[in-house]
Amino acid sequence: MPHTTEWKVRLHLFEDDEGTTKARVVVDTGSTTLTGHGSAHCNPADMNVPEIGDELAASRAMNDLAQQLLNVAERDMEGVGASRPSTREIAGWPM
């Protein structure tokens, strides 16, 4: 049963004057929209390198989104009669 789809993903980054970078990543699957959030704060003793704050905040937002997608997938698996995996490592489709 071949299947191809495209999900739209948008990543928004915001930095304030106090060295805090916030990220919001939104995925639209066509039937569901999920939003992940992340932030990073520059230690006052460290040099302010905006790219590092962007990377940290974005990775944290994507990690938040990944956890939400796992939760949705696990609920959907239960909805079709499959049991919830005992650990997250074995959840997923074989490659």
Side-chain angles (χ1 to χ4, degrees):
M1 160 165 68
H3 174 76
T4 302
T5 189
E6 180 177 320
W7 291 358
K8 305 293 184 199
V9 179
R10 289 198 170 111
L11 175 63
H12 307 271
L13 296 163
F14 313 90
E15 185 175 355
D16 64 23
D17 292 332
E18 297 173 12
T20 298
T21 302
K22 294 181 181 178
R24 184 177 76 235
V25 62
V26 180
V27 63
D28 181 355
T29 70
S31 60
T32 303
T33 301
L34 297 171
T35 304
H37 299 275
S39 64
H41 184 77
C42 183
N43 185 316
D46 293 338
M47 182 176 20
N48 186 10
V49 182
E51 182 179 52
I52 295 172
D54 291 349
E55 293 164 348
L56 287 169
S59 67
R60 291 170 179 161
M62 286 188 264
N63 185 54
D64 180 40
L65 179 62
Q67 294 301 313
Q68 291 179 50
L69 283 168
L70 276 172
N71 290 338
V72 168
E74 289 173 348
R75 283 193 305 272
D76 288 348
M77 289 167 64
E78 289 177 337
V80 296
S83 61
R84 187 177 284 252
S86 60
T87 65
R88 288 252 164 124
E89 285 76 30
I90 61 171
W93 299 95
M95 298 301 271

